[in-house]
């Protein structure tokens, strides 16, 4: 019967329209809410505990912290385990200079976000 295909086409059109009109799916990708050091901050040389707090739980195993120095050298930092699920942190020994922490984190919604925090390390 030609009637059935016509109805199902109409249903499909209605379903598509509903999908198009629906609000975008709620996302929870990680947005940096707070950091130590803050961007532009100065901290004293020595052992520095870097700390990045996000608006979402982070999959630490799939996240990276890279430390870039002014001489363009870079090192991957060991992310601290066992802390709050929205914190990405690392302990690092720093000499005076300008540094950038380049973070890349995986949030619980499966999306990666990344960003930089630049700060200065001064003589103790
Ligand atoms: Cu997302």
């Amino acid at each position: 019967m030609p009637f059935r295909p016509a109805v199902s086409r109409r249903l499909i059109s209605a379903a598509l329209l509903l999908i198009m009109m629906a609000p975008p799916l709620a996302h929870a990708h990680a947005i940096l809410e707070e950091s130590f050091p803050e961007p532009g901050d100065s901290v004293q040389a020595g052992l520095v505990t870097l700390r990045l707090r996000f608006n979402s739980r982070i999959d630490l195993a799939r996240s990276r912290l890279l430390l870039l120095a002014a001489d363009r050298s870079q090192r991957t930092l060991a992310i601290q385990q066992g802390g709050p699920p929205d914190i990405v942190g690392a302990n690092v020994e720093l000499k005076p200079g300008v540094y950038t922490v380049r973070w890349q984190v995986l949030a619980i919604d499966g999306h990666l976000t990344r960003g930089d925090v630049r700060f200065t390390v001064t003589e103790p």
Side-chain angles (χ1 to χ4, degrees), residues 8-118:
S8 62
R9 264 200 301 275
R10 198 168 294 172
L11 278 175
I12 290 166
S13 300
L16 284 175
L17 191 66
L18 279 175
I19 289 166
M20 289 188 303
M21 283 167 26
L25 289 173
H27 281 315
H29 24 253
I31 294 165
L32 182 63
E33 293 203 321
E34 187 187 5
S35 68
F36 180 85
E38 298 238 317
D41 258 5
S42 290
V43 296
Q44 286 196 351
L47 183 65
V48 176
T49 300
L50 304 172
R51 191 174 175 277
L52 306 173
R53 187 173 62 78
F54 294 88
N55 64 327
S56 151
R57 298 170 69 94
I58 302 299
D59 181 346
L60 293 181
R62 293 189 173 84
S63 299
R64 298 280 175 276
L65 285 183
L66 200 62
L67 185 74
L68 315 177
D71 65 1
R72 294 177 173 269
S73 67
Q74 52 178 256
R75 50 180 152 155
T76 302
L77 303 178
I79 293 175
Q80 288 176 333
Q81 305 293 320
D86 58 344
I87 301 277
V88 179
N91 288 318
V92 59
E93 193 72 37
L94 294 176
K95 295 172 181 161
V98 176
Y99 295 89
T100 299
V101 177
R102 181 153 294 164
W103 55 266
Q104 175 180 299
V105 300
L106 184 73
I108 43 169
D109 73 344
H111 290 152
L112 275 173
T113 51
R114 49 176 68 93
D116 287 349
V117 175
R118 198 174 141 91

